[in-house]
Amino acid sequence: MANVSVYNMEGKEVETMELNDNVFAAPINEHLVHMAVTLQLANKRQGTQKAKTRSEVSGGGRKPWRQKGTGHARQGSTRSPQWTGGGVVFAPVPRSYSFKMNKKEKAAAMRSVLSAKVSDNKFVVVDNIAVEEYKTKTVVSMLEALDAKKALIILDNADEKFIKSAANIEGVKTSFISVDEATVSATISVYDILKYDKVVIVKNAVKNIEEVYA
């Protein structure tokens, strides 16, 4: 098992921690990672675009001119696509862009991106992450001490005080993963882990990830 250093919020190393190789040294499956990212982005799309076809626009009931003898090209309706105000050819209609990945594929994608962060030394474990009051300055100081400017911070619970304290920091996002008996609550995603340069994670959240994805 790989060992990583564990820091405090002041950036000082306080201990080391063993990581589960099944989660943090797993084979990297780029195909599943791509699918997981595409899935998340697809689920964000509204899919509400709509344009009218020639059967849906108003007017055009009468033939504009007779078939022959005018010198013009023959026309059957002023609502044809070539006319101004006419319908759209193959008009977009509301649709869902979402698709499905099974649980094993999602888990493999998550293990892949976590393993990549660990191998690139962009996985920073902190013994405890908390603030006593709503204070953005405390979070900024922690990130500076850990040399993590663009970071995804992963907590072991939905700490409202800390989440709100970090909400206004540019290039920083807060997620969490908590395990309570048989219930798992999490907001971490493959897309976010890839997007941010470093992952700053509390020690208990590492254990929760190992429990869920090992």
Side-chain angles (χ1 to χ4, degrees), residues 120-135:
D120 292 341
N121 295 318
K122 294 183 177 181
F123 191 81
V124 183
V125 182
V126 183
D127 60 346
N128 183 47
I129 298 178
V131 291
E132 295 180 358
E133 55 183 335
Y134 294 95
K135 197 124 184 172

Side-chain angles (χ1 to χ4, degrees), residues 190-209:
V190 171
Y191 175 76
D192 286 337
I193 293 172
L194 279 177
K195 178 181 177 181
Y196 293 90
D197 184 49
K198 285 189 176 181
V199 172
V200 177
I201 183 169
V202 70
K203 183 179 177 181
N204 286 339
V206 174
K207 297 176 180 177
N208 291 342
I209 287 175

Side-chain angles (χ1 to χ4, degrees), residues 74-122:
R74 57 191 176 189
Q75 300 290 335
S77 171
T78 56
R79 301 298 87 178
S80 296
Q82 72 268 23
W83 285 73
T84 300
V88 177
V89 181
F90 305 127
V93 295
R95 54 162 291 193
S96 171
Y97 289 91
S98 63
F99 59 94
K100 291 184 179 180
M101 286 180 69
N102 63 45
K103 290 181 180 179
K104 288 184 178 180
E105 289 175 329
K106 290 179 180 179
M110 181 63 72
R111 288 192 291 265
S112 293
V113 291
L114 290 171
S115 298
K117 288 295 182 184
V118 172
S119 66
D120 292 341
N121 295 318
K122 294 183 177 181

Side-chain angles (χ1 to χ4, degrees), residues 23-52:
V23 179
F24 297 102
I28 297 175
N29 191 320
E30 294 183 2
H31 171 64
L32 291 181
V33 172
H34 178 266
M35 280 183 65
V37 171
T38 305
L39 175 65
Q40 184 171 346
L41 295 177
N43 287 339
K44 287 183 177 181
R45 298 184 69 174
Q46 289 183 321
T48 55
Q49 70 275 41
K50 177 71 175 76
K52 292 182 178 182

